[in-house]
Amino acid sequence: DQQVKQNSPSLSVQEGRISILNCDYTNSMFDYFLWYKKYPAEGPTFLISISSIKDKNEDGRFTVFLNKSAKHLSLHIVPSQPGDSAVYFCAASAGYGGSQGNLIFGKGTKLSVKP
Amino acid sequence: DGGITQSPKYLFRKEGQNVTLSCEQNLNHDAMYWYRQDPGQGLRLIYYSQIVNDFQKGDIAEGYSVSREKKESFPLTVTSAQKNPTAFYLCASSIGVWGSRADTQYFGPGTRLTVL
């Protein structure tokens, strides 16, 4: 049973436009969410995170929105650049020590930004 | 120059042989993790360790073993009991203070293991 779902395996966007990557979760205990970017044959790179006490967090071109009532978060990339082409993973955690601190990952969305 | 290193980048082994994947970090992180990634799949947790000399099974620990004798090192052994060992293996670490909230995990470059 997937606790973190990224329902779109792929997304194609024109350079300069907005990319919106979506993530849904089922565990209401999750209170910390992260986005990672991954190129082929490399380790994931941390992009941005958000705690459940917030509904928005921005870092440059990247903004994460959290809708707790809908158990949904999204990553917005504006403007999209060809170098953003990668697989994006959403991850969530129930927060505090022990196994609850472990991250649960979605299956990823492959973003292609076309020049 | 802090970071997480995994070696080798590519590893080939014959079926039935045990193989050990290396993971070293100089970030002074307490917690370390091993994940496996298969095509079209997310990252699945194999083992994790939140402190030296202690480690716990993740979701798919069968056929794997680990040790954590030093804070900097968390080697993973893929044993012959692992039925589908060919995969991309990722090591990660986090500050990981016990009892604190979860924090960001930072990943190594990965090792691609192919069992022939």
Side-chain angles (χ1 to χ4, degrees), chain A residues 94-112:
Chain A
Y96 286 85
S99 63
Q100 290 179 330
N102 291 339
L103 297 180
I104 308 297
F105 285 84
K107 291 190 176 183
T109 296
K110 183 176 182 180
L111 173 65
S112 300

Side-chain angles (χ1 to χ4, degrees), chain B residues 37-49:
Chain B
Q37 188 193 12
D38 294 283
Q41 299 290 321
L43 280 62
R44 292 185 291 167
L45 183 64
I46 304 172
Y47 266 98
Y48 64 101
S49 167

Side-chain angles (χ1 to χ4, degrees), chain B residues 63-74:
Chain B
Y64 299 98
S65 65
V66 292
S67 62
R68 187 84 188 277
E69 295 175 5
K70 297 187 297 182
K71 188 175 184 177
E72 307 79 29
S73 178
F74 190 40

Side-chain angles (χ1 to χ4, degrees), chain A:
Chain A
D1 181 31
Q2 270 189 278
Q3 297 187 67
V4 177
K5 299 178 186 177
Q6 293 177 257
N7 291 319
S8 298
S10 62
L11 175 67
S12 184
V13 169
Q14 206 67 33
E15 182 179 5
R17 308 292 285 264
I18 184 171
S19 295
I20 300 176
L21 297 108
N22 293 304
C23 180
D24 297 295
Y25 61 95
T26 57
N27 188 343
S28 57
M29 298 299 291
F30 286 152
D31 66 350
Y32 184 56
F33 305 90
L34 307 90
W35 284 95
Y36 285 86
K37 173 181 178 179
K38 186 183 180 299
Y39 294 117
E42 293 185 12
T45 303
F46 168 70
L47 267 180
I48 192 168
S49 63
I50 188 167
S51 161
S52 60
I53 61 173
K54 292 185 169 184
D55 54 20
K56 178 182 173 181
N57 190 24
E58 266 181 280
D59 184 1
R61 295 186 298 116
F62 302 92
T63 303
V64 56
F65 294 92
L66 176 62
N67 182 334
K68 289 185 289 293
S69 60
K71 293 193 180 71
H72 176 83
L73 64 154
S74 60
L75 175 68
H76 292 210
I77 307 174
V78 184
S80 302
Q81 298 172 354
D84 296 329
S85 297
V87 176
Y88 289 78
F89 289 100
C90 170
S93 166
Y96 286 85
S99 63
Q100 290 179 330
N102 291 339
L103 297 180
I104 308 297
F105 285 84
K107 291 190 176 183
T109 296
K110 183 176 182 180
L111 173 65
S112 300
V113 180
K114 300 190 184 306

